[in-house]
Amino acid sequence: MSAEEPQQSPQDVNHLAESLSRASINDDGDVAPRTEQEYAESQLTLRAIVSSKEAGVIIGKAGKNVADLRDETGVRAGVSKVVQGVHDRVLSVTGSLSGISKAYGLVAKGLLEGAPQMGMGGLLRSDGTHPIRLLISHNQMGTIIGRQGLKIKQIQDASGVRMVAQKEMLPQSTERIVEVQGAPSGIEKAVWEIGKCLIDDSERGYGTVLYNPAVRVQPGLGPVAPNGGPAVGGGGRSYNRTGHGADFSDAPAPATYRRSGSDAASRPPPPTHTEDGDELQTQNISIPSDMVGCIIGRGGSKISEIRKSSGARISIAKAPHDETGERMFTITGSATANEKALYLLYENLEAEKLRRSQGQE
């Protein structure tokens, strides 16, 4: 059995659509809270960054450990392929929330037991725990942290773990790391609570640009694939990073599903392909309010240039989408166009950060 990350099947996509449409609506037209059983059966994908040594422990000899994990929990689990010169790999676990939380508890236990044999003693804390670094969409992070940090404190108190959410998004992605530190049983409980937050806030997860440690950036060239060819504009492999757990695959991104009760059914279906026949994809990125002006430019000059250069459509929310004050940029186009638009947006952001830091000096 291969230990590498599985691809998402049409059945999984259909299951996602069904689970969203099953959201119960009460007499007032509001979505009723889910029961614990509904949470347990809800399907999702939860990813984590692991080192090459950690990946070896998770996979096991001839893939035994990851196969046992799948059999015991019913999840689909795998680790992204080895890329020369890249030390991080991505563990992806897909299944029911009950299976995923149990799987991460077993992963934490396996890492704790396997670390000394793999020469990973430096990762073990003085209290004998081993950290799990979960990948969470920036747009969903507010749900996990909660207003004034109340939710993350509640998760920590309920599970006995310590959680640290990194502020910066990972390069060329809209994902952030949440490090969970604690006993395997505590990590299992924390993942259960985190998963509930992600299920409740699933719509914000669509369009997430998934972190891929195999794609690096060279100044002036844009994202570069592991083989040295550009990941934008052809020549190298363009990774499909859509927020649906289908990264590191060449499968087309599944469509975004809406909950029942919206007026989406009465509208004509939006176009699904570009004029050149490429599949249309939609991705979202949140931009801090104080940075929006520098991205748009005087009279819209910069954003117009990004649209023209990338070939993607970019719309900007008029108001912040939550209490962070960040504005949502929605990018629609082919995978190549979106990738280039995202790179140009990030390039402008980094240039503005650099300009401001130099100004302070």
Side-chain angles (χ1 to χ4, degrees), residues 283-305:
Q283 295 173 320
N284 296 315
I285 175 175
S286 292
I287 302 287
S289 288
D290 64 338
M291 292 281 193
V292 171
C294 79
I295 295 290
I296 295 174
R298 190 181 297 274
S301 57
K302 284 189 178 180
I303 196 71
S304 294
E305 182 59 34

Side-chain angles (χ1 to χ4, degrees), residues 14 108 125 148 207 255 300:
N14 292 335
R125 305 292 167 91
Q148 297 180 326

